[in-house]
Amino acid sequence: MATGKNSLVPGLVRRVRRPWLAMAVWLGMCTLVLGQDSRDRDASGVGGSSEGSAQGRYLAPGGQTAGAWKLGILSRNTDTGVLITQVQSGSVAQRSGLEANDVIVNVAGYQVGIVEGRLYDIADELARRVDGRGRVNLLVRNSRDGKLVNVPVVFGSSLRSVTGEISTSDRYLVSSAAVLTVRLLDITKPQWNDVSIAEVRMDVPRKFPVNYRVEFDPALLRSGHRYGVQARVTDRGQTILQNAQVVEVNVAGGNVNANVRMALGGRPGSGAILPSLLINQWYSKYLGRQPNAREASVWEGTLSRSGTPEEIQAALLSSTEYYEQQGNDPDRYIDAVYQELTGKKATADVHRSLRRQLDQQGQRLKFVEDLIRKNASAG
């Protein structure tokens, strides 16, 4: 934040160019200035730069040319602020937690967008307000709940990073809504379960291991505090995979490397299996319902007797219930099973080959089992 007289609360009305926003800005800054925002982060990566940037218009006193500080957004100026329409993958905006449909209300207390018919360009304000360490605070209206959130933004090379490899030996099933989140946490006190310093979100890979990189602002670190890395896969609010113990790292000295191993549901050790979780996932994905008590008991018994998840998968995909969902049509059924197992649509040639295979075998279970094995070997 800026220092001197302009940072005092009485100066806010002068800095805010529209009086009706003065109280909202003051409340947002007072309640949210202490750290990074804690809202969910799900910024989608798309290319582009900020609209309306004023490249080379002027040199701000003691600052940079307008446009020198790149947030990495596409935006539209409105009379309530700068509406973010897209966020560039890997950009400063994404690292800071900005999302499409967020509205940047002000930069270090100075309104941006269209104010009383006049354009106050965000590039101009960034050139004026970013400090010598590449830092500035944005007041943002969060698109998820409409609340004002103070977002610290860091440009330049002052960021540090934690990098490493995430691995798991467990089998898992997730939907297209699943996300892999890696966070740097303050773990100084045992009861601090969710004090996040920085995080990054990624698509869930088909296979592990996968590399990660979390960048953080060292100014957020506190002397004497302990920090650790947590990785987890969540699907529609449910944690599927997570490391049982946070991996402690020494981030005080600079960039560090830390490898993380996840297990189903966060259970320690490799090869951990959560039968009920796994079975519920299969049923929800393929049959659109949860298993009844008898079904759950049968399949949990199968897994406990060294059965494999693929056995459950094949049984459900070859079941009469699943076949009826495809209208008892073998062609629709073949296309649906192929899409479920490969994530791709069957071409005409592939479909014809699969239809011949199904007709020759005469049973859906063997057909699905063969397709599962073939897909596993190809992957």
Side-chain angles (χ1 to χ4, degrees):
M1 297 290 289
T3 56
K5 291 193 293 183
N6 281 352
S7 65
L8 299 177
V9 171
L12 270 175
V13 176
R14 181 174 64 81
R15 295 170 67 184
V16 176
R17 301 180 181 104
R18 186 171 287 173
W20 62 270
L21 273 177
M23 183 57 70
V25 172
W26 178 75
L27 287 172
M29 292 173 69
C30 286
T31 59
L32 300 164
V33 73
L34 295 179
Q36 282 189 309
D37 55 298
S38 59
R39 61 200 171 108
D40 286 340
R41 303 179 181 193
D42 193 17
S44 60
V46 288
S49 58
S50 178
E51 284 183 4
S53 63
Q55 293 272 6
R57 271 201 224 158
Y58 63 84
L59 181 66
Q64 301 287 328
T65 56
W69 304 111
K70 295 289 187 180
L71 279 173
I73 62 173
L74 288 177
S75 61
R76 186 170 70 248
N77 293 301
T78 74
D79 59 3
T80 57
V82 175
L83 172 65
I84 299 174
T85 57
Q86 293 178 324
V87 177
Q88 183 180 13
S89 178
S91 65
V92 172
Q94 186 185 50
R95 290 200 306 263
S96 303
L98 296 175
E99 304 171 344
N101 297 318
D102 285 350
V103 177
I104 302 174
V105 177
N106 73 45
V107 176
Y110 291 84
Q111 281 181 255
V112 290
I114 300 171
V115 183
E116 297 178 353
R118 179 179 175 184
L119 173 63
Y120 290 89
D121 192 272
I122 189 170
D124 294 350
E125 293 301 339
L126 287 172
R128 288 189 176 104
R129 314 303 168 194
V130 176
D131 67 19
R133 297 182 298 167
R135 294 177 170 85
V136 71
N137 283 288
L138 306 181
L139 186 65
V140 177
R141 188 172 299 280
N142 184 358
S143 61
R144 292 178 178 261
D145 55 18
K147 294 181 180 178
L148 290 171
V149 181
N150 189 68
V151 180
V153 174
V154 183
F155 295 89
S157 59
S158 58
L159 293 175
R160 295 178 187 169
S161 64
V162 180
T163 58
E165 183 181 270
I166 300 171
S167 62
T168 181
S169 63
D170 289 341
R171 303 182 183 95
Y172 63 95
L173 171 68
V174 293
S175 72
S176 59
V179 63
L180 168 62
T181 304
V182 188
R183 301 193 298 168
L184 177 64
L185 301 175
D186 189 328
I187 58 172
T188 305
K189 296 184 179 180
Q191 66 269 29
W192 289 2
N193 298 318
D194 209 35
V195 182
S196 178
I197 303 301
E199 68 179 53
V200 63
R201 290 191 170 197
M202 301 179 283
D203 293 335
V204 178
R206 289 189 63 187
K207 285 190 174 182
F208 285 95
V210 62
N211 294 323
Y212 76 90
R213 180 186 184 90
V214 178
E215 294 183 318
F216 64 95
D217 181 1
L220 297 175
L221 304 181
R222 298 185 179 182
S223 177
H225 281 223
R226 296 164 50 232
Y227 299 92
V229 178
Q230 177 199 69
R232 65 185 176 189
V233 172
T234 55
D235 189 355
R236 291 163 291 190
Q238 185 178 34
T239 298
I240 308 301
L241 295 162
Q242 182 171 301
N243 51 316
Q245 300 293 330
V246 174
V247 179
E248 187 166 355
V249 292
N250 180 12
V251 292
N255 300 332
V256 295
N257 183 271
N259 295 328
V260 180
R261 187 168 183 81
M262 299 187 300
L264 279 169
R267 283 191 175 183
S270 61
I273 293 293
L274 298 178
S276 60
L277 173 63
L278 192 60
I279 293 165
N280 289 345
Q281 288 183 64
W282 290 127
Y283 270 81
S284 177
K285 183 174 178 64
Y286 297 138
L287 303 182
R289 65 177 179 86
Q290 292 299 298
N292 59 40
R294 179 180 176 281
E295 291 168 331
S297 176
V298 168
W299 290 122
E300 287 184 18
T302 298
L303 289 176
S304 66
R305 292 189 298 272
S306 301
T308 67
E310 288 78 12
E311 290 181 38
I312 303 176
Q313 184 181 31
L316 295 182
L317 287 175
S318 61
S319 68
T320 300
E321 183 175 351
Y322 185 80
Y323 189 71
E324 288 176 346
Q325 288 182 0
Q326 314 314 317
N328 293 311
D329 183 333
D331 292 312
R332 280 180 55 187
Y333 171 74
I334 288 168
D335 288 339
V337 171
Y338 186 84
Q339 179 92 34
E340 294 282 10
L341 294 178
T342 68
K344 299 181 292 186
K345 195 172 182 178
T347 64
D349 288 342
V350 168
H351 179 91
R352 282 192 292 269
S353 175
L354 293 174
R355 179 59 192 267
R356 285 194 300 270
Q357 181 181 337
L358 178 60
D359 291 342
Q360 290 169 0
Q361 291 173 332
Q363 54 175 303
R364 293 190 299 270
L365 180 59
K366 181 167 176 46
F367 169 77
V368 175
E369 288 174 341
D370 288 348
L371 197 53
I372 288 174
R373 282 193 292 269
K374 183 177 179 182
N375 184 58
S377 62

